[in-house]
Amino acid sequence: MADNLSDTLKKLKITAADRTDDSLEGCLDCLLQALTQNNMETSEKIQGSGILQVFASLLIPQSSCTAKVANIIAEIAKNEFMRIPCVDAGLISPLVQLLNSKDQEVLLQTGRALGNICYDSHEGRSAVDQAGGAQIVVDHLRSLCSKTDPASEKLLTVFCGMLMNYSNENDSLQAQLINMGVIPTLVKLLGIHCQNAALTEMCLVAFGNLAELESSKEQFASTNIAEELVKLFKKQIEHDKREMVFEVLAPLAENDAIKLQLVESGLVECLLEIVQQKVDSDKEEDIAELKTASDLMVLLLLGDESMQRLFEGGKGSVFQRVLSWIPSNNHQLQLAGALAIANFARNDGNCIHMVDNGIVEKLMDLLDRHVEDGNVTVQHAALSALRNLAIPVVNKAKMLSAGVTEAVLKFLKSEMPPVQFKLLGTLRMLIDAQEAAEQLGKNVKLVERLVEWCEAKDHAGVMGESNRLLSALIRHSKSKDVIKTIVQSGGIKHLVTMATSEHVIMQNEALVALALIAALELGTAEKDLESAQLVQILHRLLADERSAPEIKYNSMVLICALMGSEPLHKEVQDLAFLDVVSKLRSHENKSVAQQASLTEQRLAVES
């Protein structure tokens, strides 16, 4: 065969120069046969023979051999090492020209050749881009879209594949195709050719490719993609095929408009059916599909409109089904159920309805099952749901009397930052009531843990929430005992640091808590306030023009409260506060200006 091949290649060079079509055709048939028998070896020989440049001159529309030459290029470009040589041999421009041919076989082989050269090849894609190949292929898709004869469907499949290889994982080329309007065409293709498995598969892969790009979502939302995908999904029996549809649904469902379209097209019912079918299976692929279906369900609930549509005033069958997942023995369903409740709990009306209908007890039972060596994701999800449910004022007392704080405090020993974060958030939402704040604020174990977490520098969220909860315990309880517990646990320095936070809301919460400490237990906290350099920090906040009006106001209130302590009073005098404060008397904010006058008088009297 090797000798034969060498002879063929030599002969091909001569006949190509003479343009004798008959003998040329014989040589091309020999090459195709050799490629069928051993593609890689034959391709290496072709590359070594310098015949690639000859192919460029053979790619002419008038010749009867053109389709065979394109076929040979398609075959050799299956090898990675041949793609750049094909570009270097100048094959791209004549191939792109052939996309204007009226001959279906030429179009088919040309589409294959360009698609294979583009596969995973930056050079190939770049050359096709420069030659304007993508636009011609998109135009072909548009004009062939409605044709359902086998030859047209084969051509459509090849062109879809070519565009997929051309743009795969390349944002700028994907954006180019989107601007050419390829999305509505592909959606139309999917609708018309849903019986053709190969073409449907190509469309799905192309969608999966384009759907990752944010700019594509708007275009997808203006088509009936949701309806087509749900229709296709319902037809799929095999796991692999459903998986392909899932891979397109997930990125598309990140768009709120598409979420609603998917809900209206009946996707939720399909997902619930899958959950029901797979929940008791221990087959790996069924477990994976259960996870995908329940995750997608939770994603659909992230859209406000789609979520409200499915809540149906708490009477919706979907909401009821999701509720039944929480007591299930399947961890994935428990997780999805808790996350779904957290998503339903995104407005006061829903939260109040759910708390009145016993959801809190269900979530507490779920948490109870996960206290010892529990599933961290389930703990996190259940705490998220409780935190959201605790936002409406009317729910707080009900949740406190249901024993939520006790249930949540069981997780104080958790070493997992996501769980710590949600635990802190839930407690902070619940303690608006003085009694609850006082009870928690005197809980030494809790306060010590908060102080420890205030130093969790690797976990900014946990650190921030711990500081905010410490401050909230003081602000809501206004209790001397709570302040003493926090002082004894070493919490004062953290509240002082919190006053320098980059978030105004946190600065403010810290200053109000510190003012209460100064008013109620200045003697107890005096040493800690001094060593944390509170007075110097207040001076900085007042002198800084960027400080918000409420920060300036509360800093001055705090200065006045600190005057009852001898060492702190002395620090205030040493730092020449009068200069800074007197400037604030002309502040544009009236409250700040008034407080500056009062503070100035106080400082003048005390000096």
Side-chain angles (χ1 to χ4, degrees):
M1 179 190 140
D3 293 344
N4 249 347
L5 184 58
S6 301
D7 292 347
T8 301
L9 290 167
K10 279 177 197 160
K11 196 173 169 193
L12 188 58
K13 278 190 179 177
I14 298 160
T15 50
D18 297 347
R19 290 281 158 94
T20 45
D21 274 9
D22 290 348
S23 48
L24 188 58
E25 199 142 343
C27 293
L28 295 173
D29 285 337
C30 279
L31 272 190
L32 279 169
Q33 199 177 352
L35 284 162
T36 309
Q37 286 166 1
N38 189 332
N39 190 315
M40 189 184 275
E41 196 182 311
T42 307
S43 296
E44 283 170 348
K45 284 260 167 58
I46 289 173
Q47 189 189 0
S49 70
I51 201 86
L52 281 177
Q53 282 78 0
V54 175
F55 285 160
S57 65
L58 294 175
L59 290 168
I60 47 173
Q62 302 82 353
S63 166
S64 60
C65 301
T66 304
K68 277 184 185 168
V69 177
N71 187 359
I72 290 168
I73 296 168
E75 288 303 314
I76 61 178
K78 286 178 178 175
N79 301 289
E80 192 181 346
F81 65 87
M82 289 301 289
R83 290 170 200 150
I84 293 177
C86 283
V87 175
D88 292 343
L91 298 181
I92 301 298
S93 185
L95 282 168
V96 168
Q97 290 306 311
L98 287 177
L99 287 172
N100 297 306
S101 168
K102 298 280 180 281
D103 183 314
Q104 279 216 318
E105 184 60 19
V106 169
L107 286 174
L108 188 76
Q109 299 305 343
T110 303
R112 285 184 62 232
L114 288 169
N116 290 352
I117 291 170
C118 284
Y119 184 80
D120 231 356
S121 163
H122 169 69
E123 292 76 8
R125 291 168 180 179
S126 193
V128 173
D129 178 23
Q130 280 163 14
Q135 183 67 65
I136 304 171
V137 173
V138 170
D139 291 342
H140 274 305
L141 286 181
R142 212 168 275 139
S143 61
L144 287 168
C145 185
S146 305
K147 296 189 175 174
T148 53
D149 60 285
S152 295
E153 288 197 326
K154 200 172 177 187
L155 196 48
L156 283 165
T157 308
V158 165
F159 282 154
C160 274
M162 184 239 145
L163 289 181
M164 194 180 74
N165 288 353
Y166 172 70
S167 65
N168 188 32
E169 290 181 358
N170 184 312
D171 286 1
S172 66
L173 293 181
Q174 286 171 359
Q176 181 196 73
L177 292 181
I178 291 165
N179 290 336
M180 288 174 183
V182 78
I183 287 173
T185 305
L186 288 172
V187 174
K188 196 172 163 193
L189 262 183
L190 186 67
I192 295 170
H193 302 273
C194 54
Q195 303 303 329
N196 184 314
L199 185 47
T200 298
E201 212 160 294
M202 277 298 176
C203 279
L204 286 175
V205 181
F207 288 145
N209 229 337
L210 298 169
E212 298 293 340
L213 216 62
E214 213 36 59
S215 59
S216 74
K217 309 268 169 63
E218 301 293 309
Q219 268 206 34
F220 274 118
S222 65
T223 69
N224 62 337
I225 182 77
E227 192 187 326
E228 293 297 352
L229 286 175
V230 173
K231 217 188 303 177
L232 186 66
F233 189 76
K234 283 176 179 169
K235 269 195 251 169
Q236 305 309 321
I237 301 155
E238 294 165 50
H239 167 78
D240 293 351
K241 296 282 193 292
R242 280 211 291 239
E243 195 59 36
M244 283 191 81
V245 184
F246 270 139
E247 279 171 14
V248 180
L249 286 169
L252 285 180
E254 286 168 13
N255 176 281
D256 282 358
I258 299 174
K259 280 187 184 80
L260 188 59
Q261 291 167 13
L262 289 168
V263 167
E264 287 170 343
S265 300
L267 178 61
V268 173
E269 289 71 14
C270 299
L271 298 175
L272 290 172
E273 204 174 311
I274 288 175
V275 169
Q276 202 167 352
Q277 287 166 3
K278 311 292 178 185
V279 67
D280 298 319
S281 171
D282 48 13
K283 275 200 223 155
E284 210 168 298
E285 64 177 37
D286 287 347
I287 293 167
E289 200 165 349
L290 175 79
K291 178 177 176 0
T292 309
S294 52
D295 284 350
L296 187 49
M297 180 78 206
V298 171
L299 181 57
L300 291 175
L301 292 172
L302 277 171
D304 287 337
E305 277 191 81
S306 50
M307 176 272 287
Q308 214 50 45
R309 179 74 53 97
L310 295 170
F311 189 65
E312 290 182 62
K315 304 276 188 290
S317 60
V318 173
F319 173 65
Q320 297 301 329
R321 286 278 283 280
V322 167
L323 275 188
S324 72
W325 292 355
I326 293 173
S328 123
N329 289 321
N330 182 304
H331 281 186
Q332 175 56 35
L333 279 195
Q334 292 171 357
L335 170 64
L339 287 172
I341 296 303
N343 286 345
F344 280 126
R346 285 210 317 280
N347 64 52
D348 284 6
N350 291 5
C351 289
I352 293 164
H353 181 280
M354 286 192 278
V355 168
D356 287 347
N357 284 277
I359 190 67
V360 170
E361 290 70 17
K362 284 187 170 72
L363 289 166
M364 279 164 43
D365 288 346
L366 177 60
L367 277 174
D368 242 10
R369 294 161 70 181
H370 288 276
V371 174
E372 297 303 327
D373 307 320
N375 182 306
V376 173
T377 52
V378 175
Q379 293 171 358
H380 179 259
L383 288 167
S384 295
L386 286 171
R387 181 200 172 280
N388 288 2
L389 291 166
I391 292 172
V393 175
V394 294
N395 280 358
K396 297 180 197 294
K398 292 172 189 170
M399 290 176 72
L400 286 167
S401 61
V404 171
T405 46
E406 293 77 9
V408 170
L409 286 170
K410 289 176 187 170
F411 294 91
L412 259 188
K413 54 182 180 286
S414 170
E415 292 303 330
M416 305 306 284
V419 174
Q420 296 166 353
F421 180 70
K422 287 297 175 186
L423 172 150
L424 292 163
T426 307
L427 290 176
R428 191 165 62 79
M429 285 300 151
L430 283 171
I431 60 161
D432 281 10
Q434 189 167 358
E435 192 184 330
E438 188 160 0
Q439 193 185 346
L440 281 174
K442 290 191 288 194
N443 179 331
V444 177
K445 268 191 185 154
L446 169 64
V447 174
E448 284 177 348
R449 196 71 161 129
L450 290 182
V451 170
E452 184 189 326
W453 287 340
C454 281
E455 289 169 9
K457 292 197 167 47
D458 295 344
H459 302 286
V462 172
M463 194 163 85
E465 276 293 345
S466 302
N467 278 303
R468 293 190 77 185
L469 185 52
L470 266 187
S471 153
L473 291 171
I474 294 168
R475 287 182 296 111
H476 295 304
S477 72
K478 301 179 177 60
S479 152
K480 292 185 169 210
D481 290 339
V482 170
I483 292 170
K484 282 177 187 163
T485 307
I486 289 172
V487 172
Q488 282 154 13
S489 304
I492 296 297
K493 64 180 178 193
H494 297 300
L495 289 170
V496 174
T497 305
M498 183 180 165
T500 64
S501 163
E502 58 195 31
H503 304 291
V504 174
I505 192 163
M506 285 177 69
Q507 279 186 295
N508 217 26
E509 287 170 1
L511 291 169
V512 173
L514 288 164
L516 282 165
I517 292 169
L520 297 170
E521 275 297 326
L522 187 54
T524 314
E526 185 179 67
K527 276 202 175 72
D528 289 353
L529 293 171
E530 198 178 350
S531 63
Q533 300 192 310
L534 173 62
V535 174
Q536 289 85 332
I537 284 168
L538 291 173
H539 190 274
R540 269 209 312 275
L541 289 175
L542 288 171
D544 188 345
E545 285 175 12
R546 292 164 304 175
S547 294
E550 59 268 42
I551 301 304
K552 291 189 186 293
Y553 177 89
N554 283 321
S555 296
M556 289 187 283
V557 170
L558 183 48
I559 285 293
C560 294
L562 295 177
M563 301 302 271
S565 150
E566 206 173 309
L568 295 170
H569 184 174
K570 186 175 183 311
E571 284 187 10
V572 171
Q573 284 178 315
D574 292 349
L575 270 175
F577 263 83
L578 262 170
D579 300 350
V580 185
V581 172
S582 61
K583 280 182 192 159
L584 293 175
R585 275 191 329 193
S586 55
H587 196 278
E588 59 188 1
N589 181 294
K590 274 189 185 155
S591 302
V592 172
Q594 282 172 344
Q595 186 58 43
S597 296
L598 292 171
T599 308
E600 189 180 38
Q601 287 167 23
R602 182 79 195 268
L603 289 170
V605 170
E606 301 278 352
S607 59

